[in-house]
Amino acid sequence: MIQLPAAADPEVSIIVLLDGAAEMAERCLQAIAASDPGVSCETLVLLNDPDEELERLVRKSTAGGRVIACRANAGPGVGWNLGNAIARAPRLATLHEDSEPQPGWLRPLCETMSESGAGVVGSRLYNADGSVQNCGWVLFSDASHWVLDEATAPEVVAATEPTPADTVSGAAMLVDREAVRAVGGWDERFHPAVFMDIDVSTAMWSQGRPVLSVPASRVVHASGAFDRRPNSPLTGPRLRPFLFERNRDRFLGKWPAARELAPPPSAIEPEPIRAAVQAALPHARARFERARAAESLPAPDPTPRATARFTGVETPVLEEEGGYRVAPEVEAALRAAERELVDDYLRWLIVREAEVSDHVEMLSELLADKQGDVAMLNTAVEDLRQENGRLSSTLDAVLESRTWRTRTRLARLLGRS
């Protein structure tokens, strides 16, 4: 039995989103159970459109956690809002099912938030082999973003103290609940994913509340679970680019000041990416310094509020025997949104497939032309080689001839004595 934290008066409400493989979910829940007895916590488990195996695991193999069952795809942002609806602690920690918090992960986050006044703090994410995956992200003027890691920001990886970042990952994030409530929660206009973390981090910065990555908090992150949802057309490596394009204009419309950030990389290659990240880092550091000096600065402009597209009903989460369930009107709205999203995704894939097909055809024609040119060049080269052979044979024959005057003159011309 996995005994999840269940404090009566918690400092932190851990909200963990489970929507895929039971094996991955079990590792996540076991890691939570073993992680941090020094911080009083409660655990809220969101079963996000689960299959029978995942639900059986949570219902029969765990104890202590409060379970919310959603029979539709809530995704991270709506999921965090659903958890927030029944949370009891002043701070919320969000985890994905592909996250495995390491022992002692939570206390450094709490301490950093208390000492710095940060609105959001994030764990340092690691790959399974122990390499650093993520120390936060930088945000560029076109709303694209890039990870801070050894390749792009080795000085950030080497840091032992919390470092400012434009955004940190919801895979292991601690938020000040009151600060998030003040901006309307996670913005559901970005459902189901991609800009949720970026938006809530931007909202914190806009309030003068820092966003920090905390090296002392370690979480192993498998990454990509969202892209591998079983039994759903919303999956695969093209899903994130689609959602980025879908939500980018919404984000820039909400946060027009983001257009003043550093420009994106000039090319998706290591050196341009590193140069762009290095150019963007001073922005986050400057924002942090301004936040530290906030007492001497005018109050920030009112922060745009999030849109509660799905959870903006009187009671989005209903208590039932043995746990909680999501209100039927919320689930119905989520299912309708998923049908619309699937249609848009398929149309997007069709357009991209046609564009790629046209590009492949164009390149094939160019290649055919080049192959014709190459064949002509190969023929010309072979003709020249044969002519060279004939000339060499003729010269050799002259040198070996008995016509001594001609032979002597040729030798002189060839520089042979």
Side-chain angles (χ1 to χ4, degrees):
M1 184 67 67
I2 302 172
Q3 187 66 46
L4 297 169
D9 186 22
E11 299 174 53
V12 176
S13 296
I14 301 173
I15 309 172
V16 55
L17 177 70
L18 305 179
D19 68 354
E23 180 182 352
M24 186 178 291
E26 185 174 12
R27 290 199 303 269
C28 174
L29 295 172
Q30 287 175 336
I32 293 171
S35 61
D36 219 318
V39 177
S40 62
C41 304
E42 66 170 350
T43 311
L44 309 176
V45 180
L46 179 68
L47 288 170
N48 189 53
D49 197 17
D51 60 18
E52 291 183 6
E53 183 183 9
L54 177 60
E55 186 154 11
R56 185 168 54 251
L57 164 72
V58 173
R59 301 285 190 188
K60 297 187 177 301
S61 300
T62 70
R66 292 193 285 159
V67 179
I68 306 170
C70 183
R71 305 302 174 184
N73 176 27
V78 175
W80 308 147
N81 284 335
L82 292 170
N84 187 26
I86 65 167
R88 295 178 296 189
R91 291 170 175 171
L92 308 174
T94 66
L95 290 171
H96 293 177
E97 65 183 1
D98 54 0
S99 302
E100 295 179 44
Q102 302 301 288
W105 72 287
L106 194 50
R107 179 166 292 282
L109 296 179
C110 293
E111 291 175 347
T112 298
M113 183 169 283
S114 296
E115 293 167 2
S116 67
V120 170
V121 291
S123 300
R124 177 170 289 188
L125 302 184
Y126 287 82
N127 297 307
D129 63 4
S131 60
V132 172
Q133 181 188 108
N134 185 321
C135 299
W137 302 71
V138 293
L139 185 62
F140 297 116
S141 58
D142 65 346
S144 63
H145 38 282
W146 207 271
V147 68
L148 299 173
D149 59 13
E150 188 66 52
T152 62
E155 71 277 24
V156 174
V157 174
T160 57
E161 297 296 322
T163 54
D166 289 331
T167 182
V168 292
S169 173
M173 172 191 286
L174 181 72
V175 303
D176 180 279
R177 189 178 180 190
E178 192 55 46
V180 170
R181 183 179 292 153
V183 299
W186 281 266
D187 198 331
E188 295 173 8
R189 79 185 76 187
F190 303 115
H191 174 76
V194 174
F195 274 96
M196 292 288 186
D197 305 346
I198 299 170
D199 175 76
V200 77
S201 296
T202 303
M204 293 301 105
W205 279 119
S206 75
Q207 296 182 88
R209 302 289 297 271
V211 175
L212 301 174
S213 174
V214 183
S217 176
R218 299 171 59 95
V219 171
V220 174
H221 184 227
S223 185
F226 172 78
D227 302 338
R228 300 190 297 269
R229 290 188 68 228
N231 305 317
S232 171
L234 294 175
T235 189
R238 304 306 300 161
L239 180 58
R240 286 185 183 273
F242 160 71
L243 291 173
F244 173 77
E245 290 187 16
R246 179 184 176 91
N247 290 333
R248 172 175 49 193
D249 289 344
R250 299 175 186 179
F251 177 81
L252 291 173
K254 181 180 179 182
W255 305 105
R259 296 182 185 276
E260 300 173 9
L261 297 174
S266 59
I268 305 304
E269 296 175 356
E271 283 308 312
I273 291 170
R274 178 186 171 95
V277 169
Q278 289 294 315
L281 280 173
H283 171 77
R285 298 185 188 118
R287 286 206 292 195
F288 180 60
E289 293 303 322
R290 288 196 299 272
R292 292 175 64 180
E295 292 181 355
S296 61
L297 295 175
D301 293 333
T303 300
R305 286 187 61 80
T307 299
R309 176 184 173 190
F310 303 101
T311 60
V313 298
E314 184 174 352
T315 310
V317 178
L318 306 174
E319 190 168 5
E320 62 180 7
E321 185 177 355
Y324 299 82
R325 65 185 177 91
V326 175
E329 61 266 41
V330 174
E331 291 182 341
L334 287 169
R335 283 192 288 269
E338 179 130 334
R339 289 192 294 270
E340 177 186 344
L341 189 67
V342 168
D343 287 347
D344 288 348
Y345 184 40
L346 294 178
R347 281 191 288 266
W348 185 86
L349 288 172
I350 289 169
V351 171
R352 293 302 175 278
E353 191 276 336
E355 290 175 348
V356 171
S357 179
D358 289 345
H359 195 54
V360 167
E361 184 176 353
M362 180 190 70
L363 291 177
S364 297
E365 291 174 357
L366 287 174
L367 181 59
D369 291 342
K370 294 297 182 184
Q371 287 175 336
D373 293 342
V374 168
M376 290 175 60
L377 288 170
N378 284 335
T379 300
V381 168
E382 184 59 30
D383 289 344
L384 289 171
R385 282 176 177 160
Q386 292 179 11
E387 178 65 12
N388 179 259
R390 288 191 291 269
L391 290 169
S392 295
S393 299
T394 300
L395 291 171
D396 288 342
V398 170
L399 286 171
E400 294 171 2
S401 73
R402 295 183 179 180
T403 308
W404 68 269
R405 291 181 185 277
T406 304
R407 184 177 65 227
T408 302
R409 185 174 181 185
L410 179 59
R412 189 181 303 116
L413 289 172
L414 293 174
R416 300 179 188 176
S417 56

